[in-house]
Amino acid sequence: MKSLHLNGLLPLIVAVPGTVGSLLFANSTAAQMMTPYGAQEMPPANNAARVQITEGPALESFRNDEAIITWTSNNPGGADEHFGIVSYGTDRNQLNQMAKSHIRLNRNHPSTVFRVRVEGLKPGITYYYTVDSMGGDGKRDGVESTVYQFTTPADLPEPQNIR
């Protein structure tokens, strides 16, 4: 450490950033486990015995060539990092396209609201879809819904290239 004096003011102590963790923690492992905000990463929460959809799924909104599908389930537990998944297609028996959106579970809430943006939809087409969720490790929560559907307006504007 070095001490700097600024025009007779109190000395200013400067520490090399690499040593700050060792100054704050006796153990360097503890310093490495800290996030930038000083909170420790928590271990995964217990998985729910059974994950169930409690509301929806539903078409929340539609604009241009994209739809937002939303649903609520009981909190699935597991890792905080989760994804909402919409499997969709134009044949109810072949839902071979997928859209997913990232979410962080709140361990203090008994339920979780998922919202997934489905992009690149064509005008005047009926789309079929199911919803599910999965942890950041790729393991599905096993909450897959039955098949739902929506039809896009026939007069969708052509996508514009924006410069």
Side-chain angles (χ1 to χ4, degrees), residues 61-141:
S61 65
F62 185 85
R63 192 179 97 200
N64 298 327
D65 67 342
E66 62 186 42
I68 295 180
I69 307 294
T70 186
W71 69 98
T72 303
S73 75
N74 59 311
N75 194 326
D80 290 346
E81 180 180 16
H82 253 68
F83 293 88
I85 301 168
V86 174
S87 299
Y88 67 101
T90 56
D91 179 338
R92 74 178 307 115
N93 298 312
Q94 289 189 338
L95 306 179
N96 52 10
Q97 298 178 69
M98 184 176 75
K100 66 181 182 177
S101 293
H102 182 263
I103 188 172
R104 294 216 30 109
L105 298 180
N106 184 331
R107 296 170 186 225
N108 296 320
H109 290 176
S111 62
T112 301
V113 176
F114 292 91
R115 297 178 75 236
V116 177
R117 182 187 317 265
V118 180
E119 300 175 312
L121 302 174
K122 305 280 187 231
I125 303 291
T126 297
Y127 288 92
Y128 300 91
Y129 67 94
T130 61
V131 301
D132 197 353
S133 58
M134 73 177 180
D137 60 0
K139 182 180 175 201
R140 299 252 179 155
D141 293 323

